[in-house]
Amino acid sequence: MTENRERVVVVGAGLAGSLAALYLARRGYQVDVYERRPDPRSALASPEGRSINLGLSARGMRALDEVGLLADVLKRSVPMRGRVVHAPDGTVRFQPYGVREHEILHSVLREELISVVVDAAEAEPAVRFHFGHRLVRLDRDTATVEVVPTDGGEPVRVHADLVVGADGVFSTVRQQMQHGLRADYAQEFLPWGYKELTIPVGADGEPRVRLEALHVWPGHEALMVAHPNVDGSLTCSLFMAHEGPVSFAALDTPQAVRDFFDRHFPDAGDLMPALVDEMAAHPVGHLVTVRTAPWRHADRVVLVGDAAHAVYPFYGQGMNSSFEDCLVLDSCLAAHPDRTAALAAYEAARKPHTDVLADLSTANFADLRDRVHRIGYTASATADRI
Ligand code: FAD
């Protein structure tokens, strides 16, 4: 029976929104999730067929375990027991993260992970997903949203008891919740961006490099990390400046790409047969930090995930902390029958941690860029960061 349940609208069916929907349904709410994109499980969702992987660590694993999803996710992941640091002279050094199971990271494709979470949320009778629906308006005092079908249909107004803003770094819920109120908001773009590239399996079907590790090519002007996939390939993220003498903009010919890799990552170029084509075809992503407050309005609206705290990816904890938000929000709703108090307790519990995470993520960028490079590739590795 679901008719007497309080109603939640979750905006965004990314990692945070989908997991929040599952937690909230199990907490007794009727949940409608509005997502502007197509269903992430359909081919339409990733038309260019690109894969992005994420490093899952203890915090994210705990949040998945609490709702019974961890075993399924780990089956689709590759353990990363340490990092392999590649020096420009071609030498490599393995740095273990730790010896205990919780001290290793797990590499998982975003598409696989989101499918597991959306499937589990959708299996709850109280959850309905509405893909292809963009939120355009929020009335924060009445928890009413207006969503527009992306296929051109008529706008729909939906009234709820609580709106969860899980709509990512450029959150519309956040903007409209905070509009005209005393709110802090700081957004910082890194001058560097990123591009996804691939190290496919070798001609013999075997991985081209050690699989159960995160591979790191540090560097002052550009750096690259590669996560392993279950099929033996690796997905690389190349980070460098958007513009300038050594930048994505400067790599505008096949020869410029080859010269760049020969100079900066000589052992990597040989592992990437489609390098030149991928460099030309794949877009450059932006890297953004967002700090903001408040994360909530009365008992009506609350933010989770990147909508509340986007960080640079160099600590590998953005998704993990987004998952942790869902766990903590749920425990605050359990502990406080008054929802205003529950949302206040959630923000008070989470914000100090995510503020520190933003600092650590910026510091680890400098570490990967400068320190690991300078001190001979021997900086220590720990399992709570890449
Ligand atoms: P998102 O994943 O951005 O989801 C937001 C959703 O809201 C989207 O589906 C969007 O379509 C939808 N939406 C937006 N606006 C609207 C609207 N108006 N109406 C309806 N829907 C809307 N984190 C880790 O923990 N480990 C890693 O190894 C890691 N690596 C990373 C590498 C890179 C290069 C980057 C960029 C990030 C990485 N992260 C990592 C961070 C991680 O990807 C994010 O923290 C995580 O995806 C945040 O999830 P989210 O659900 O809050 O936001």
Side-chain angles (χ1 to χ4, degrees):
M1 295 290 284
T2 57
E3 8 350 309
N4 296 325
R5 290 168 172 244
E6 281 199 292
R7 193 158 180 202
V8 178
V9 161
V10 175
V11 183
L15 295 163
S18 303
L19 190 65
L22 178 55
Y23 267 98
L24 289 162
R26 296 208 180 153
R27 179 70 35 221
Y29 290 95
Q30 174 72 37
V31 185
D32 285 277
V33 187
Y34 291 91
E35 164 59 51
R36 66 179 175 188
R37 293 195 183 128
D39 188 331
R41 298 163 297 182
S42 72
L44 276 177
S46 180
E48 65 279 50
R50 289 196 308 126
S51 62
I52 296 171
N53 13 25
L54 300 161
L56 183 65
S57 69
R59 290 165 186 273
M61 287 161 67
R62 201 175 139 231
L64 291 172
D65 200 23
E66 194 67 26
V67 284
L69 298 186
L70 182 59
D72 201 3
V73 170
L74 290 186
K75 267 192 257 160
R76 300 156 189 253
S77 314
V78 181
M80 299 190 291
R81 302 183 186 284
R83 62 182 185 186
V84 174
V85 182
H86 296 247
D89 64 4
T91 56
V92 295
R93 184 186 294 263
F94 178 68
Q95 301 169 339
Y97 285 135
V99 288
R100 288 172 296 225
E101 253 332 273
H102 72 271
E103 290 176 327
I104 63 175
L105 302 176
H106 297 266
S107 170
V108 59
L109 283 171
R110 187 181 187 280
E111 296 86 339
E112 289 271 340
L113 181 54
I114 195 112
S115 295
V116 171
V117 182
V118 171
D119 279 348
E122 204 177 49
E124 293 290 324
V127 177
R128 283 181 304 204
F129 281 90
H130 309 266
F131 295 105
H133 282 75
R134 177 195 295 270
L135 170 109
V136 290
R137 203 154 291 117
L138 163 74
D139 181 333
R140 63 187 170 222
D141 294 318
T142 60
T144 303
V145 297
E146 188 174 315
V147 290
V148 177
T150 50
D151 65 4
E154 289 297 308
V156 183
R157 275 170 69 84
V158 184
H159 177 67
D161 298 287
L162 173 66
V163 174
V164 176
D167 49 345
V169 58
F170 303 113
S171 168
T172 307
V173 173
R174 180 185 64 220
Q175 286 163 18
Q176 300 205 4
M177 179 189 82
Q178 294 178 344
H179 184 75
L181 300 181
R182 278 183 293 111
D184 295 331
Y185 178 69
Q187 170 183 295
E188 190 185 0
F189 278 87
L190 200 68
W192 287 30
Y194 71 97
K195 200 176 267 242
E196 305 287 345
L197 304 168
T198 319
I199 298 178
V201 288
D204 56 0
E206 293 297 315
R208 291 173 193 248
V209 291
R210 179 180 183 144
L211 199 63
E212 293 198 347
L214 180 79
H215 287 256
V216 183
W217 287 261
H220 191 65
E221 294 175 311
L223 62 90
M224 192 164 73
V225 298
H227 286 81
N229 298 315
V230 282
D231 68 359
S233 67
L234 289 95
T235 304
C236 310
S237 303
L238 170 65
F239 298 94
M240 65 193 301
H242 287 283
E243 283 159 15
V246 181
S247 69
F248 285 113
L251 299 186
D252 52 358
T253 64
Q255 194 56 47
V257 171
R258 285 192 207 97
D259 290 348
F260 168 82
F261 269 79
D262 286 349
R263 198 164 122 234
H264 292 269
F265 314 119
D267 60 334
D270 294 343
L271 306 171
M272 305 162 96
L275 173 62
V276 167
D277 292 342
E278 288 187 338
M279 283 295 286
H282 292 181
V284 180
H286 295 288
L287 300 170
V288 192
T289 296
V290 165
R291 294 171 196 260
T292 193
W295 290 9
R296 68 202 149 86
H297 178 69
D299 63 343
R300 293 300 194 194
V301 188
V302 67
L303 305 177
V304 293
D306 279 11
H309 49 75
V311 297
Y312 298 145
F314 303 105
Y315 217 73
Q317 289 295 331
M319 162 196 66
N320 287 296
S321 63
S322 300
F323 281 172
E324 202 173 25
D325 288 349
C326 301
L327 177 72
V328 174
L329 176 60
D330 181 60
S331 60
C332 291
L333 288 167
H336 300 274
D338 169 18
R339 198 166 51 235
T340 304
L343 302 187
Y346 157 72
E347 180 174 348
R350 294 298 294 143
K351 188 166 159 48
H353 291 284
T354 57
D355 283 347
V356 170
L357 178 59
D359 293 339
L360 289 171
S361 302
T362 305
N364 214 34
F365 169 56
D367 191 51
L368 286 169
R369 192 189 53 185
D370 301 329
R371 185 163 164 266
V372 181
H373 189 56
R374 212 177 50 238
I375 66 170
Y377 302 86
T378 56
S380 65
T382 61
D384 59 1
R385 66 172 189 186
I386 62 172

